[in-house]
């Protein structure tokens, strides 16, 4: 399809006519079907630590929040969850945490090696901003993918909501480029409706997805957490006509436009969408461009403490219940459950052209 211009992106983001939006949903769904097919891939989510060194203004896990209960899962607990993913038929797991400096790089590398040795799973890491040595260590251990959301392409807004650590200036786009050079599939994304985010900002975010040639894209609504500084100013920004709303519909628009902007990306219908619409949020996301869901494998005794935002969907369900629910939801809309790793079409093309010397030729991949 012809690339959308900046003005066209803003037009679609501001569109309110239901019949026109039906056209957008249809275009996104047809593009999804053409480029990544009807299979919905399941990535088992393991939220293994709630410790975080950052003070992000929007996140409930921020270091200054003394109200949050901190935990670290043991290596055996994490690997056990990975084996559960295999039993459920998943092709990948996502190891996610706060930016936990107490969970050493070597310990995480050992966990990745165990999962790769004991299962056929692809392993995605989502552990924040890290130095090159750590990223290279995890890649050598077998990690396949890395998620690092840039949240907003507006640098001033980013600095306001995501303060640097002392001596560690934040540049997430630069880290994504380092990850690509190391051979990872790379994923990123943006929050929809951050206080201070304009229509122009969000259109630039969508362009950046394409510029970075992302393999995975995550878009989700900004959901205020009461124990964060951003929650206090959220109502003041809501009355600004240039402020992007953090609504369910706006998130679907961004998801659909992300699909049109980057047709081959793997795009999840996120838990945040399910939090806004617990009945149909994931299904509507899948009908408007998404092709991935992320059932939660985190044991419920930990899951309740991993509160980036409040009232998160699926907090108390067992992994087995979550798995059954996800399969039912996928099949209820006429889609099929994906099999295998669900690798990015773009990454597969890159590997075919230039096999990773650390992993060997593509034919050796599980």
């Amino acid at each position: 399809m012809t690339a959308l211009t900046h003005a066209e992106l803003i037009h679609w983001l501001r569109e309110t006519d239901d019949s026109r939006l039906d056209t957008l949903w249809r275009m996104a769904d047809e593009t999804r079907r053409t480029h990544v097919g009807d299979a919905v891939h399941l990535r088992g989510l393991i939220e293994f630590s709630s410790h975080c060194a950052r003070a992000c203004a929007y996140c409930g896990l921020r270091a200054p929040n003394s109200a949050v209960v901190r935990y670290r899962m043991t290596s055996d607990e994490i690997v056990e969850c990975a084996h559960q993913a295999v039993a459920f038929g998943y092709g990948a797991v996502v190891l996610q945490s706060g930016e936990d400096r107490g969970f050493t790089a070597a310990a995480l590398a050992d966990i990745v090696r165990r999962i790769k040795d004991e299962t056929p799973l692809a392993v995605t890491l989502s552990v924040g901003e890290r130095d090159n040595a750590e990223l290279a260590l995890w890649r050598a251990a077998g990690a396949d993918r890395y998620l690092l959301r840039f949240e907003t392409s507006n640098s001033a807004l980013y600095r306001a909501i995501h303060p640097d650590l002392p001596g560690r200036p934040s540049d997430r786009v630069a880290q994504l480029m380092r990850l690509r050079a190391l051979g990872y599939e790379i994923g990123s994304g943006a929050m929809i409706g951050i206080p201070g985010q304009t229509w122009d900002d969000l259109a630039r975010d969508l362009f950046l997805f394409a510029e970075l040639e992302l393999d995975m894209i995550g878009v989700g609504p900004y959901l205020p957490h009461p124990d964060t500084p951003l929650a206090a100013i959220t109502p003041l920004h809501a009355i600004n006509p240039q402020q992007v709303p953090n609504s369910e519909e706006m998130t679907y628009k961004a998801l659909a436009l992300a699909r049109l902007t980057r047709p081959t990306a793997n795009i999840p219908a996120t838990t945040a969408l399910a939090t806004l619409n617990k009945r149909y949020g994931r299904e509507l996301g899948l009908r408007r461009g998404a092709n991935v869901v992320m059932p939660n494998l985190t044991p419920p005794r930990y899951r309740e403490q991993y509160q980036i935002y409040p009232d998160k969907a699926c907090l108390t369900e067992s992994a087995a219940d979550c798995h059954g629910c996800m399969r039912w939801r996928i099949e209820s809309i006429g889609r099929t459950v994906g099999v295998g790793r669900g690798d990015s079409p773009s990454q597969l093309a890159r590997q075919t052209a230039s096999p990773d010397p650390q992993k060997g030729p593509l034919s050796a991949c599980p």
Side-chain angles (χ1 to χ4, degrees):
M1 62 169 291
T2 303
L4 294 168
T5 67
H6 187 84
E8 288 170 332
L9 288 171
I10 291 178
H11 171 80
W12 279 118
L13 290 169
R14 303 194 74 161
E15 182 62 69
T16 58
D17 182 81
D18 286 341
S19 63
R20 288 283 295 156
L21 288 175
D22 284 342
T23 300
L24 177 62
W25 312 145
R26 185 173 62 254
M27 289 193 302
D29 199 43
E30 290 172 354
T31 300
R32 184 270 310 156
R33 182 176 298 109
T34 298
H35 290 274
V36 296
D38 280 333
V40 178
H41 291 281
L42 290 88
R43 322 290 205 205
L45 178 63
I46 307 171
E47 299 159 329
F48 67 90
S49 171
S50 65
H51 290 262
C52 191
R54 313 295 309 209
C56 301
Y58 54 87
C59 180
L61 298 186
R62 63 195 309 268
N65 184 7
S66 60
V68 69
V69 176
R70 308 289 177 175
Y71 69 87
R72 292 187 182 102
M73 291 175 61
T74 68
S75 298
D76 286 344
E77 287 175 321
I78 296 168
V79 175
E80 182 182 348
C81 288
H83 282 285
Q84 199 169 31
V86 176
F88 289 151
Y90 303 165
V93 288
V94 180
L95 305 186
Q96 184 178 83
S97 71
E99 201 164 304
D100 182 1
R101 300 290 166 174
F103 207 110
T104 69
L108 185 53
D110 286 342
I111 291 166
V112 172
R113 287 191 198 96
R114 284 184 62 186
I115 294 173
K116 298 299 289 188
D117 287 345
E118 298 176 22
T119 78
L121 296 168
V123 175
T124 301
L125 299 179
S126 179
V127 295
E129 299 171 38
R130 301 297 181 133
D131 62 38
N132 287 352
E134 293 172 310
L135 301 175
L137 175 65
W138 298 329
R139 177 66 178 150
D144 303 277
R145 305 165 184 164
Y146 203 103
L147 296 174
L148 184 70
R149 302 210 318 184
F150 60 74
E151 305 297 12
T152 175
S153 56
N154 180 327
S155 58
L157 178 57
Y158 179 80
R159 288 192 300 272
I161 65 173
H162 187 88
D164 292 337
L165 291 174
R168 296 177 66 94
S170 177
D171 189 339
R172 292 194 167 193
V173 171
Q175 178 167 322
L176 288 165
M177 293 298 93
R178 295 196 298 272
L179 289 160
R180 170 60 52 72
L182 287 168
Y184 285 92
E185 282 189 40
I186 60 170
S188 193
M191 277 193 296
I192 311 305
I194 311 165
Q197 181 186 57
T198 67
W199 303 104
D200 187 66
D201 293 334
L202 185 50
R204 292 181 188 280
D205 294 343
L206 292 162
F207 269 123
L208 189 53
F209 297 160
E211 290 172 9
L212 293 173
E213 298 182 348
L214 294 177
D215 301 298
M216 302 166 282
I217 296 172
V219 294
Y222 159 68
L223 298 175
H225 191 292
D227 297 326
T228 62
L230 212 58
I233 66 171
T234 297
L236 300 177
H237 285 268
I239 61 175
N240 181 352
Q242 290 303 312
Q243 170 68 47
V244 174
N246 62 331
S247 65
E248 180 184 357
E249 182 175 79
M250 185 56 58
T251 305
Y252 295 135
K253 291 180 193 177
L255 191 159
L257 291 167
R259 173 60 67 197
L260 297 178
T261 303
R262 184 70 178 143
T264 60
N266 284 319
I267 302 177
T270 63
T271 303
L273 262 180
T275 299
L276 285 181
N277 182 343
K278 290 183 171 61
R279 189 169 184 182
Y280 296 124
R282 285 194 180 93
E283 290 91 327
L284 289 173
L286 290 171
R287 286 174 165 154
R288 294 169 179 180
N291 71 313
V292 169
V293 293
M294 296 172 65
N296 202 326
L297 296 173
T298 312
R301 65 183 178 278
Y302 298 125
R303 196 183 309 173
E304 294 180 12
Q305 311 308 327
Y306 198 85
Q307 291 201 34
I308 297 172
Y309 50 82
D311 196 28
K312 193 173 173 184
C314 307
L315 271 182
T316 59
E317 293 178 0
S318 69
D321 287 343
C322 193
H323 166 67
C325 177
M326 291 291 191
R327 290 189 66 94
W328 178 84
R329 289 176 184 276
I330 291 165
E331 292 167 356
S332 74
I333 60 170
R335 300 277 284 279
T336 59
V337 175
V339 296
R341 293 159 44 108
D343 292 297
S344 155
S346 298
Q347 179 76 345
L348 289 170
R350 285 190 291 268
Q351 288 178 315
T352 301
S354 179
D356 182 346
Q358 293 178 336
K359 299 295 185 73
L362 182 61
S363 60
C365 290

